[in-house]
Amino acid sequence: MSTPNKVSFLTPIKNWLLRNHIWVFFLVVFGAFSLASPYFLTVNNLSNVLTQSAFIGILAIGMTLVMINGEIDLSVGAVLALASALAIGLQDSIGVWPAVFCGLLSGVALGALNGTIIALSGIHSFIVTLGALIGVRGLVFIYTGEDALMVSDFSYTEYPEIYLGPLSITAMIFLGLAFLFQWILTSTRHGREAYSVGDNIEAAHDAGINVKRNKIINFTICGGLAAVAGILLSMRLGTAEPNAGKIWELWTIIAVVLGGVRLTGGYGTLWMTIGGVLTLAVMRNGLRLLSTPNYVELMVMGAVLIMALLLDHFLSGISRKKTS
Amino acid sequence: MTQNTTLLELQGITKTFPGVKALDNVSLDVKQGEVLALVGENGAGKSTLMKVLAGLYTAEQGSIKYLGKEMQVHSPLDARLKGILLIHQELSLSPELSVAENIYLGAWPTNRFGVLQKRKLRKQTQQALEALGCDFAPDDRVGQLSIARQQMVEIARAQAFNANIVIFDEPTASLTDNEKAQLFETIEDLRSRGKGIIYISHKMDEIFEITDRITILRDGQVQGTKITADTSVDEITRAMIGRDLDTYFHRAKENFGEDVLAVDGLSADGLFSDVSFSVKSGEVLGLYGLVGAGRSEVVETIFGIRKAQSGKITWKGREISPPTPAEAIELGIALVPESRKEQGLVLGMGGRENITLPHLHFFSTLSVMSKEKELETYEQFQQALDIKTTGPEQPVAKLSGGNQQKFVLAKWLCSSPNLIILDEPTRGIDVGSKSSIHELIANLAEQGLAVIVISSEMPEVLGVSHRVLAMANGRIVGSFSGQNQTEENLISAVSKT
Amino acid sequence: QDAPDWLGGELKKPLAETRIGITVLYPGSNAYQAKYAETAESYTKELGIQAIVLDPQGDPATQFDQIQDMSSQPIDALVVWPTSQNALIPAIRQASRNGIPVITSNSPIGEAGRRYIAGHTGPDDCAQAEQSAEMLAESLGGKGDIVVVEGTPGYTVSILRKNCFLDKMADSYPDINILASQTAEWNREKAQTVMETFLTQFGDEIDGVYAFDDGMGLGVISALQGAGKAPGEVKVVTCNQFGEGWDAMKEGWHSGSNKQSPVDDAILAIQTAIKIANGIEVPPLQGIETPKVTPENVDEFERPSW
Amino acid sequence: MFKQDMTALLRRHGLLFAFGIFLAGVALTTDTFLTVGNFLDVIRQVSITGMIAIGVTFVVITGRFDLSVGSMLTFLTVIVVDQHNVSGPFMAIIYVMIGGIVIGAINGLLIGFIGLNALIVTLAMLSFLQGLTLFYSGGANVNVQNAQNTWFAFFGRADLFGIPVPALIFILTAIVASFVLTRTTFGRQIFAVGGNETASKFSGIDTRKTIFFAYILSGLTTALAAIIMGSRVMGAQNTIGQGYELTVLAGIILGGTSLLGGSGGIWRTILGITMLGFIQNGLLLLGYPYYVQWLVTWVVIILAVWIDLGAKRGKVFA
Ligand SMILES: Nc1ncnc2c1ncn2[C@@H]1O[C@H](COP(=O)(O)OP(=O)(O)OP(=O)(O)O)[C@@H](O)[C@H]1O
Ligand SMILES: Nc1ncnc2c1ncn2[C@@H]1O[C@H](COP(=O)(O)OP(=O)(O)OP(=O)(O)O)[C@@H](O)[C@H]1O
Ligand SMILES: O[C@@H]1[C@@H](O)[C@@H](O)OC[C@@H]1O
Ligand SMILES: [Mg+2]
Ligand SMILES: [Mg+2]
């Protein structure tokens, strides 16, 4: 056997940094805003940030699963809008919880549809879900007739105002789902299959793993989670906007990639994703507290994204070749 | 152990791909405790046959009998669970998963709810690794292991699944001699425990070293099965290619000119250091070493793919700064890289476009391409190298490995270079094509080119070169020519360090 | 510090210590909104109050976050130009429960939220739409076929400018026939595309156009010019005149609009917020003037700077 | 025998057939659809998306994305319109061309030379340019002040030989681009890089430079599109190009250019973009609200790509 791999005492630190650089980034951003704004480091504000991050956060959980598979889902924003429209629009005819259930079902069904088309046709998920991003938005507009739908009973909007200390129910659902799916990823057959499919799809197939089923399940979960986010949003706003969640898929992808999950598949954890989601949420909140004009916010977001990529690039020292 | 019980019997297997009858009524059998060699030219159908056996393909006709009973193989996992394990030509692992997860890929121990039993998985893996004497742990990430260790992970699957039939498809292509020896020990061990082994290789020395019988395939048909001890390399080769091979190696007539290339003290961090040598026109310089010795890196540096930290490169007496590939090509350097699929060809393009890729300016005026000129060159090389293809536009992805390799050669020959570097030019190539490549090397040198040949096959590098450099651990550890150019000297040189 | 004249009461604390949060619709989307945001910035600076001016980029969920973030700081009043009729009600409810007075500006929020706000300021969009109906009908002589270019659907201003226009037409001008109605989302380029399609579809049948604002009206005029129409051949009437619309009216392309000043709109909102911050009573609804502008009286108005 | 030929033909050109059926269907139900006027209208309307798509096709063939073109279109249109008033039409056009090239170069630098992920870099650029536009305009709309008498109107509003100038520019650009892509060494390099980047490097192609120039082309055609847009509208909002990146991609995909790189072509892109244009136009003429076209686009894209893939694999449904 050839010589064992060289190990220096720096290696574990470097490895940890490689996998968790987002948390270093998070701490820097967090520290900077704590110094810059007197209102940032307050329980009230941090509690708000966590709640605000939950929507992109829940979308990001599903996106992470799909990306570990080596795929992408661009339709999450539109699916969120449809679920939110159904959850509100159906309340008058079938009641609150059945309506919520229908909203959830719509996400699950669209996710399953995406996954099935991708698995059966072999068309790249970027294309299939780009189509869905456009088409599902069309469905939303047809269903809502272009208008925002409003709950008739505003007590619906009181649900998300349940708090456990500083934690809102929305934030708890986000964190709970993140822990649940992290456990599924590391400790169940489905989770390990997901990595193996994204990592080396031929090997997975040859090992008898049902690659198609694994992808369909992950897309279904992703759609379902998008619906969960949509329902929570409908409770928050009491209204379903036909344009809700527009370009949120981009924010979601940004958060996930910021966390270090690879678009090429096989690599990433929800721990990284949470890091990305929170960093993004803290940045947006902090910039608002500082009353930054929106153009600065947009420019800073762009710059930070590039910086995160550069950091990842130079830390790992390998040039990521093409993806997608 | 009884040597005579038939373990596996394939009968009348037929498999067609669109336009190709890959397997035509193939029958063979494997006995307990024997190693059966499967040989044949590139594209003869060896891999296809094994994929049928391993459940990756379904045959249109034929049957598989296992210990006398008819058996259906539904899927790769099904095959694995039934005790048939295929170790692929290209490794089939997930680099991000652990050793344990890879060995049991898709068959992890779980409870009723699909939750992994991690402790059980680790323990089972530990046992399998110990039985094979592996020096890595169940939790190591596979991507961090060397190629040879990764192959051991695949072999450990045989142990873990208690496979009765283990198929090796060209397993030694990227192994060092030491690793190869270890692999042979493992095979010996499997044999002594009554397993049946099918061994596919293009390397005759290996086949005669470890196999008991040899089944020969040609154009999807069985040409016969021979007892290894009763046959000869010549007989097998004849059966494989349907004619006699005249001489196995051609060495160019010695007619050296000036130094074409000289490198002096070339070093690159962690890859190689202080490499110095020179090559004359008309000379074939061999570069021998074990995998990982750094030979590819050295020639890639000369070609401008990598950057050296220090050292000097002299081209026809003039010192040049480490060039880019484009400049190297401009000077007249050609590099036939070691991996034709990754480095050599754009698989989606046809032969015409692949051949002209490095010299687009030859085939264009004011940047506008001339398809006529391209076709002319294509025709010329397609005929000269006897490349089997349906036309200039057929994507090279659809060709057999040997024909692909010929396109890579054509691509570099068409610009008439002064120096051609061939990195493992015959890897995965059948003996027939091999000898024509050897002949080509000799011809090139006789036409006055300087040639550098990298090969991990000792007979090849000794047979075609005028002079052989031995490399180990990134350094040149010996230079041999004439009387000294022997196997013993090369081995002792590379194993000293 | 002396209280400004318009305050109509005592300052409880100096203006420099007064903090007001403002979240506007989307300065990126049209001239009116941009001028409003600009005025909000400059006027608060002029007054010397501490102001946070935020842009939700048209997304109610983002505006929700903004209201939440501002309510978690010590703040004296919030001005909200709602991006959606109802989606901000829970956020405003939360703010008002935290004891922060909220006023809505330009565009009212839905019924269910009215009890959480301290007041509303802005134009009367219904009256504008009725004015437009009158101007269009008059310019057509009470008879003809028209097409309608709508604002962003679901948005209060769009709803009012649609329904009140349609009601007025149905009640008073039965001989005017509406051929088609499409949205262009307050967007000039989209309006041009919509109008081009209308022209292909109905050709010379179209006698008049109603666009919900002047930005879209200008897109319509571009399309008419592109189709080789002469000025006034097709009557164009809009709500809320912009600077270029004023020019177009003088050139004869434009038959009616109304003056609605984003400067007045923003200043009224900010003054009202400061009044409330100082505990001064304000009426629940305060309007800004929106007189008709027609080719006859256009010279009486200054060219809008937005 | 005949049946076999037909199915083979259908497979290969299934998309065109389906499109033909759609056109015929609309033509039968409305009488305005099949008129020269409407046809020219559609070509004019797609000329902006089409111009951008031409540049982006180069990028896509190298196996990469450009999602920044929508924001870039907004930014450059705002610049061209505003600078028209400040520096005159000629300089405005020069500035915008330089702008497009510089933005393309930054994308190309980060993606080609440093090797960062194209999806994310161009997303970041999308966000950055949105900010830059708002910064430049202060959120306000910009308008050409003397819209009625500037030669700048030529690009978006004029007709030449009875054909709208934007359509002419579009077709001309397509011809040049197609020539560059299929007949020149640069075009060959683009295909090689998308087909196999490593092998291209080993063939002496400067892959980084090739990618870099592909992004510059994408910036350049977007700049041309911005000139047409500015001239057509004679004004610009800060949202004017929103969503164009997706329409452009949808058109490219519909045309059958693979997102994996290494294959595709300009005429395919034009076909895809024009189809989208006719679908939109046809549905509007049939009186459907604009968003129904989104639903149709979804179905059409999936079916088109599915049939196309099936045809390549020799069967329609996998
Ligand atoms: N998936 C496939 N689709 C179409 N043709 C195939 C496929 N796989 C193999 N073939 C064809 O079948 C024939 C047998 O190929 P196979 O890979 O079995 O050869 P081999 O004997 O293993 O060759 P080598 O020594 O080069 O590995 C070849 O002509 C090959 O082109
Ligand atoms: N023991 C090893 N551990 C890790 N990586 C290895 C090892 N051996 C080889 N490799 C990898 O395989 C590649 C091939 O090795 P290299 O090119 O240096 O060897 P070489 O002398 O050219 O041998 P050959 O070309 O015959 O494989 C190296 O770049 C290295 O990344
Ligand atoms: O006229 C409208 C204005 O009042 C505001 O609501 O924004 C959109 C329109 O420009
Ligand atoms: Mg093989
Ligand atoms: Mg090598």
Side-chain angles (χ1 to χ4, degrees):
Chain A
M1 242 356 70
S2 44
T3 49
N5 303 328
K6 274 181 222 142
V7 181
S8 94
F9 76 99
L10 276 176
T11 314
I13 300 175
K14 202 181 132 212
N15 277 343
W16 186 89
L17 264 180
L18 265 179
R19 285 176 178 257
N20 296 290
H21 63 264
I22 185 61
W23 288 101
V24 178
F25 214 79
F26 174 79
L27 286 179
V28 172
V29 173
F30 194 90
F33 283 120
S34 304
L35 294 178
S37 166
Y39 311 114
F40 179 76
L41 204 62
T42 60
V43 175
N44 200 345
N45 186 54
L46 295 182
S47 149
N48 283 345
V49 174
L50 212 55
T51 309
Q52 292 167 5
S53 72
F55 301 94
I56 296 291
I58 293 171
L59 296 182
I61 295 172
M63 190 70 80
T64 305
L65 296 188
V66 165
M67 272 197 200
I68 286 174
N69 261 173
E71 304 284 347
I72 198 162
D73 188 349
L74 299 177
S75 69
V76 288
V79 171
L80 168 146
L82 185 65
S84 122
L86 291 173
I88 285 189
L90 293 173
Q91 285 189 7
D92 286 342
S93 41
I94 61 175
V96 172
W97 295 110
V100 165
F101 182 75
C102 285
L104 188 64
L105 212 62
S106 73
V108 169
L110 284 172
L113 179 68
N114 276 337
T116 308
I117 294 176
I118 289 158
L120 293 191
S121 70
I123 306 175
H124 196 283
S125 53
F126 192 97
I127 297 178
V128 173
T129 60
L130 176 72
L133 150 82
I134 298 169
V136 173
R137 186 67 70 184
L139 282 181
V140 177
F141 272 72
I142 291 171
Y143 178 70
T144 60
E146 311 184 36
D147 281 347
L149 303 178
M150 187 187 54
V151 281
S152 41
D153 179 2
F154 256 81
S155 65
Y156 182 65
T157 62
E158 307 268 358
Y159 294 118
E161 300 193 355
I162 302 171
Y163 277 78
L164 192 75
L167 273 186
S168 70
I169 185 110
T170 310
M172 284 189 285
I173 291 177
F174 163 44
L175 295 176
L177 286 170
F179 286 121
L180 172 68
F181 280 101
Q182 180 57 31
W183 177 80
I184 288 179
L185 278 178
T186 47
S187 301
T188 68
R189 156 177 279 276
H190 174 77
R192 302 322 288 169
E193 283 185 357
Y195 281 98
S196 125
V197 166
D199 203 4
N200 184 344
I201 192 163
E202 310 243 309
H205 177 261
D206 292 356
I209 291 172
N210 191 331
V211 172
K212 293 180 179 174
R213 193 185 62 192
N214 190 270
K215 286 189 178 176
I216 292 175
I217 292 176
N218 283 325
F219 274 98
T220 309
I221 294 173
C222 188
L225 288 175
V228 169
I231 289 162
L232 289 173
L233 188 68
S234 77
M235 291 180 173
R236 183 171 168 85
L237 303 181
T239 303
E241 294 283 335
N243 273 320
K246 209 169 182 177
I247 71 163
W248 284 18
E249 62 281 347
L250 300 188
W251 288 112
T252 306
I253 293 168
I254 288 175
V256 174
V257 172
L258 205 59
V261 177
R262 269 178 215 153
L263 289 155
T264 42
Y267 182 81
T269 61
L270 285 172
W271 174 239
M272 294 165 150
T273 293
I274 297 177
V277 167
L278 291 183
T279 306
L280 205 65
V282 161
M283 262 170 45
R284 299 183 81 177
N285 168 269
L287 291 171
R288 278 202 289 272
L289 291 182
L290 295 176
S291 185
T292 324
N294 67 337
Y295 60 83
V296 176
E297 182 182 333
L298 289 164
M299 283 155 77
V300 167
M301 286 296 169
V304 162
L305 199 56
I306 300 276
M307 264 158 52
L309 267 196
L310 282 173
L311 186 72
D312 184 40
H313 179 81
F314 289 116
L315 268 181
S316 51
I318 24 167
S319 69
R320 287 290 138 61
K321 280 168 213 140
K322 59 183 207 185
T323 47
S324 84
Chain B
M1 198 55 63
T2 39
Q3 249 258 15
N4 302 324
T5 330
T6 300
L7 200 55
L8 179 81
E9 219 177 328
L10 299 181
Q11 266 167 0
I13 304 279
T14 299
K15 168 85 193 163
T16 44
F17 292 113
V20 194
K21 196 159 199 179
L23 297 174
D24 184 3
N25 196 21
V26 172
S27 304
L28 61 75
D29 63 290
V30 184
K31 301 189 171 61
Q32 273 189 345
E34 88 162 342
V35 181
L36 174 75
L38 191 58
V39 301
E41 286 182 287
N42 294 121
K46 307 178 293 289
S47 297
T48 305
L49 183 63
M50 293 304 109
K51 285 180 182 170
V52 168
L53 182 56
L56 284 153
Y57 293 154
T58 324
E60 284 110 49
Q61 279 170 36
S63 66
I64 303 173
K65 273 190 196 154
Y66 185 63
L67 286 170
K69 263 189 283 171
E70 187 115 353
M71 175 180 80
Q72 299 277 332
V73 185
H74 302 289
S75 70
L77 186 62
D78 186 38
R80 209 178 280 181
L81 295 174
K82 283 174 171 149
I84 301 170
L85 189 91
L86 170 61
I87 294 171
H88 286 264
Q89 201 164 354
E90 271 103 34
L91 289 180
S92 170
L93 296 166
S94 301
E96 283 295 328
L97 298 189
S98 71
V99 168
E101 286 175 331
N102 264 289
I103 290 176
Y104 286 93
L105 198 65
W108 305 295
T110 57
N111 70 12
R112 256 180 313 151
F113 308 105
V115 179
L116 295 190
Q117 295 166 318
K118 292 189 186 171
R119 205 168 311 143
K120 190 165 163 195
L121 175 65
R122 194 173 301 131
K123 209 172 119 207
Q124 287 178 353
T125 307
Q126 191 63 51
Q127 283 165 358
L129 294 182
E130 270 163 20
L132 289 171
C134 297
D135 62 350
F136 46 87
D139 287 335
D140 287 352
R141 211 165 51 82
V142 160
Q144 288 173 328
L145 300 180
S146 67
I147 305 294
R149 287 194 178 92
Q150 292 187 9
Q151 195 165 36
M152 288 308 288
V153 173
E154 290 232 23
I155 296 169
R157 280 182 184 157
Q159 191 73 32
F161 284 85
N162 193 19
N164 279 319
I165 295 158
V166 185
I167 305 155
F168 291 92
D169 197 350
E170 298 194 43
T172 56
S174 47
L175 292 190
T176 63
D177 282 357
N178 275 339
E179 289 161 352
K180 193 169 91 181
Q182 185 144 18
L183 173 69
F184 285 0
E185 259 174 49
T186 311
I187 291 176
E188 202 51 56
D189 177 52
L190 291 170
R191 187 211 323 249
S192 70
R193 287 191 281 141
K195 315 285 180 193
I197 290 126
I198 303 177
Y199 190 88
I200 300 177
S201 178
H202 290 293
K203 297 179 183 166
M204 289 299 160
D205 52 337
E206 293 175 5
I207 283 167
F208 279 83
E209 186 180 338
I210 58 158
T211 69
D212 301 302
R213 287 187 307 148
I214 305 173
T215 295
I216 303 124
L217 271 183
R218 186 165 93 224
D219 294 335
Q221 292 176 326
V222 174
Q223 296 301 307
T225 298
K226 302 270 179 332
I227 309 264
T228 310
D230 302 343
T231 184
S232 67
V233 175
D234 285 347
E235 190 185 9
I236 299 293
T237 326
R238 205 178 309 123
M240 269 169 63
I241 63 174
R243 63 185 155 89
D244 276 319
L245 268 185
D246 33 9
T247 44
Y248 198 72
F249 291 108
H250 304 258
R251 187 179 295 149
K253 291 193 198 74
E254 287 198 28
N255 182 14
F256 300 164
E258 298 282 286
D259 266 4
V260 174
L261 174 89
V263 295
D264 190 12
L266 207 60
S267 304
D269 276 353
L271 298 172
F272 54 84
S273 54
D274 200 18
V275 170
S276 308
F277 65 83
S278 65
V279 57
K280 295 180 168 55
S281 71
E283 182 184 26
V284 180
L285 175 68
L287 210 49
Y288 175 77
L290 307 178
V291 175
R295 297 161 301 170
S296 298
E297 280 81 355
V298 169
V299 295
E300 285 170 12
T301 306
I302 293 169
F303 191 66
I305 298 274
R306 301 167 180 277
K307 296 269 165 276
Q309 256 87 44
S310 60
K312 216 164 72 177
I313 302 177
T314 312
W315 177 256
K316 294 184 176 167
R318 202 161 52 81
E319 188 177 333
I320 53 171
S321 55
T324 63
E327 285 161 357
I329 293 168
E330 186 69 24
L331 289 170
I333 304 176
L335 170 65
V336 175
E338 61 181 327
S339 157
R340 61 179 166 265
K341 282 192 179 150
E342 271 99 59
Q343 304 166 329
L345 296 166
V346 180
L347 291 170
M349 286 183 166
R352 168 178 66 94
E353 294 187 320
N354 266 296
I355 292 183
T356 58
L357 203 55
H359 340 280
L360 294 176
H361 60 281
F362 281 5
F363 299 92
S364 61
T365 22
L366 295 173
S367 284
V368 178
M369 297 293 298
S370 155
K371 196 169 172 182
E372 293 72 45
K373 272 196 213 166
E374 287 190 274
L375 281 175
E376 218 172 89
T377 306
Y378 166 84
E379 296 294 343
Q380 184 192 334
F381 280 92
Q382 187 262 328
Q383 278 162 20
L385 298 181
D386 189 25
I387 307 176
K388 290 190 188 67
T389 143
T390 59
E393 311 304 330
Q394 187 188 39
V396 294
K398 300 234 166 101
L399 304 179
S400 81
N403 285 308
Q404 288 180 350
Q405 184 72 354
K406 286 179 183 173
F407 269 127
V408 185
L409 284 166
K411 164 177 171 177
W412 288 109
L413 293 176
C414 78
S415 67
S416 334
N418 299 113
L419 164 68
I420 185 162
I421 305 168
L422 304 135
D423 194 352
E424 305 284 3
T426 62
R427 179 179 283 175
I429 294 231
D430 64 63
V431 281
S433 310
K434 233 180 203 173
S435 83
S436 60
I437 287 174
H438 294 150
E439 203 176 310
L440 187 77
I441 291 174
N443 287 342
L444 292 174
E446 279 164 17
Q447 286 161 27
L449 265 75
V451 183
I452 298 176
V453 177
I454 295 177
S455 176
S456 305
E457 279 185 59
M458 190 109 56
E460 177 172 273
V461 82
L462 290 172
V464 300
S465 313
H466 296 119
R467 184 158 58 98
V468 179
L469 300 178
M471 250 189 106
N473 292 334
R475 290 173 180 278
I476 299 216
V477 290
S479 170
F480 307 95
S481 57
Q483 297 293 311
N484 294 328
Q485 191 170 323
T486 62
E487 295 209 14
E488 294 72 34
N489 285 344
L490 277 184
I491 290 177
S492 73
V494 298
S495 51
K496 242 183 272 169
T497 33
Chain C
Q1 194 181 3
D2 286 344
D5 299 340
W6 47 261
L7 191 64
E10 291 290 305
L11 276 179
K12 274 196 190 155
K13 57 179 169 183
L15 282 176
E17 283 167 28
T18 306
R19 283 173 60 83
I20 290 187
I22 305 170
T23 158
V24 301
L25 179 59
Y26 188 3
S29 113
N30 79 20
Y32 187 90
Q33 293 151 8
K35 190 74 190 176
Y36 183 108
E38 188 193 310
T39 309
E41 295 269 6
S42 60
Y43 188 61
T44 50
K45 207 164 280 164
E46 191 187 312
L47 291 175
I49 61 172
Q50 298 179 30
I52 310 171
V53 184
L54 294 177
D55 164 20
Q57 290 161 40
D59 182 359
T62 307
Q63 195 169 36
F64 194 111
D65 292 354
Q66 292 177 341
I67 295 173
Q68 207 175 36
D69 285 347
M70 292 193 292
S71 330
S72 69
Q73 317 174 19
I75 207 154
D76 297 305
L78 273 179
V79 176
V80 177
W81 176 346
T83 47
S84 151
Q85 196 177 7
N86 296 306
L88 285 319
I89 295 176
I92 291 174
R93 179 180 63 200
Q94 212 182 352
S96 100
R97 283 179 186 168
N98 289 355
I100 296 173
V102 180
I103 72 151
T104 51
S105 171
N106 180 283
S107 154
I109 57 163
E111 269 310 320
R114 300 274 161 88
R115 57 196 166 112
Y116 304 116
I117 60 170
H120 173 75
T121 63
D124 183 345
D125 294 289
C126 189
Q128 285 184 358
E130 287 169 355
Q131 289 176 350
S132 299
E134 287 162 13
M135 291 185 286
L136 186 55
E138 272 159 33
S139 68
L140 290 172
K143 198 166 148 340
D145 295 317
I146 64 162
V147 292
V148 177
V149 181
E150 303 176 21
T152 304
Y155 176 61
T156 327
V157 175
S158 308
I159 295 169
L160 291 173
R161 288 189 187 164
K162 183 175 191 170
N163 294 341
C164 297
F165 178 86
L166 293 181
D167 290 349
K168 182 78 187 174
M169 279 292 175
D171 291 349
S172 316
Y173 308 103
D175 292 335
I176 291 192
N177 169 38
I178 297 174
L179 294 169
S181 187
Q182 289 268 1
T183 176
E185 300 176 356
W186 305 125
N187 181 316
R188 178 170 172 167
E189 202 270 336
K190 281 191 186 136
Q192 187 169 344
T193 305
V194 166
M195 190 61 205
E196 280 168 359
T197 319
F198 282 157
L199 283 169
T200 325
Q201 199 173 356
F202 304 109
D204 293 336
E205 263 179 80
I206 302 173
D207 304 311
V209 186
Y210 169 49
F212 287 8
D213 84 356
D214 227 23
M216 299 190 294
L218 288 165
V220 168
I221 291 174
S222 290
L224 292 174
Q225 288 168 344
K229 301 278 179 191
E233 198 180 330
V234 174
K235 309 290 177 204
V236 179
V237 169
T238 67
C239 297
N240 187 1
Q241 187 163 58
F242 291 7
E244 267 183 289
W246 189 86
D247 300 337
M249 190 171 276
K250 297 192 71 128
E251 288 160 19
W253 288 99
H254 208 322
S255 304
S257 187
N258 31 49
K259 184 199 165 185
Q260 177 191 324
S261 163
V263 179
D264 297 352
D265 200 4
I267 289 178
L268 181 60
I270 290 164
Q271 290 181 349
T272 307
I274 296 175
K275 284 183 192 172
I276 289 170
N278 286 291
I280 295 161
E281 278 288 314
V282 298
L285 202 76
Q286 300 176 78
I288 56 171
E289 292 291 300
T290 57
K292 281 186 188 172
V293 186
T294 59
E296 290 74 50
N297 70 357
V298 59
D299 286 322
E300 295 164 22
F301 295 90
E302 226 179 287
R303 184 183 187 277
S305 60
W306 52 94
Chain D
M1 199 60 219
F2 172 72
K3 213 179 127 208
Q4 263 181 8
D5 285 354
M6 270 314 284
T7 43
L9 204 67
L10 251 174
R11 275 175 193 155
R12 209 161 325 124
H13 302 292
L15 187 59
L16 277 177
F17 274 96
F19 185 47
I21 291 169
F22 171 82
L23 290 186
V26 183
L28 283 179
T29 34
T30 63
D31 44 3
T32 38
F33 186 68
L34 223 57
T35 58
V36 177
N38 187 49
F39 195 80
L40 291 180
D41 249 9
V42 172
I43 301 284
R44 190 175 52 208
Q45 281 163 8
V46 302
S47 61
I48 292 173
T49 3
M51 288 292 294
I52 302 175
I54 289 172
V56 176
T57 301
F58 281 82
V59 171
V60 171
I61 294 177
T62 69
R64 286 164 171 81
F65 288 109
D66 193 346
L67 294 182
S68 68
V69 288
S71 289
M72 204 190 319
L73 177 66
T74 306
F75 178 65
L76 296 177
T77 309
V78 167
I79 298 269
V80 80
V81 169
D82 188 60
Q83 285 299 314
H84 184 283
N85 300 338
V86 181
S87 327
F90 182 74
M91 286 317 288
I93 289 173
I94 300 287
Y95 290 151
V96 160
M97 305 271 261
I98 294 175
I101 290 172
V102 168
I103 297 166
I106 296 172
N107 280 335
L109 199 77
L110 292 168
I111 295 161
F113 282 92
I114 304 186
L116 301 184
N117 180 287
L119 187 71
I120 306 298
V121 167
T122 57
L123 265 184
M125 188 53 101
L126 178 154
S127 174
F128 189 82
L129 287 177
Q130 252 176 26
L132 202 61
T133 310
L134 289 172
F135 174 69
Y136 181 88
S137 68
N141 291 1
V142 291
N143 300 301
V144 171
Q145 271 152 16
N146 52 344
Q148 288 309 301
N149 36 27
T150 165
W151 58 265
F152 183 63
F154 175 76
F155 305 102
R157 299 184 161 195
D159 281 356
L160 215 61
F161 322 115
I163 301 173
V165 170
L168 275 182
I169 299 179
F170 170 43
I171 293 165
L172 221 68
T173 311
I175 292 172
V176 173
S178 177
F179 181 83
V180 170
L181 190 60
T182 56
R183 300 290 307 279
T184 68
T185 51
F186 175 67
R188 186 68 61 79
Q189 288 165 350
I190 292 271
F191 279 106
V193 169
N196 184 343
E197 204 170 323
T198 311
S200 303
K201 246 178 233 160
F202 274 83
S203 302
I205 293 173
D206 192 337
T207 55
R208 301 179 307 171
K209 218 163 82 186
T210 309
I211 296 164
F212 179 75
F213 279 114
Y215 277 97
I216 287 198
L217 277 186
S218 168
L220 194 61
T221 57
T222 307
L224 292 176
I227 292 168
I228 296 177
M229 176 77 107
S231 162
R232 169 175 145 81
V233 182
M234 287 291 167
Q237 290 168 300
N238 297 284
T239 50
I240 200 165
Q242 223 171 52
Y244 270 73
E245 61 282 345
L246 295 185
T247 316
V248 161
L249 261 186
I252 292 177
I253 291 167
L254 197 57
T257 293
S258 155
L259 292 185
L260 299 177
S263 73
I266 299 297
W267 295 113
R268 291 177 147 262
T269 292
I270 304 245
L271 181 69
I273 291 279
T274 319
M275 269 191 224
L276 280 185
F278 273 105
I279 290 172
Q280 167 177 3
N281 173 265
L283 291 173
L284 279 181
L285 288 182
L286 289 176
Y288 289 104
Y290 64 105
Y291 43 78
V292 170
Q293 120 210 0
W294 301 341
L295 200 66
V296 175
T297 306
W298 181 20
V299 177
V300 168
I301 286 185
I302 303 288
L303 285 185
V305 179
W306 201 332
I307 292 172
D308 195 40
L309 263 185
K312 277 181 198 139
R313 288 198 208 120
K315 50 186 171 176
V316 172
F317 292 101

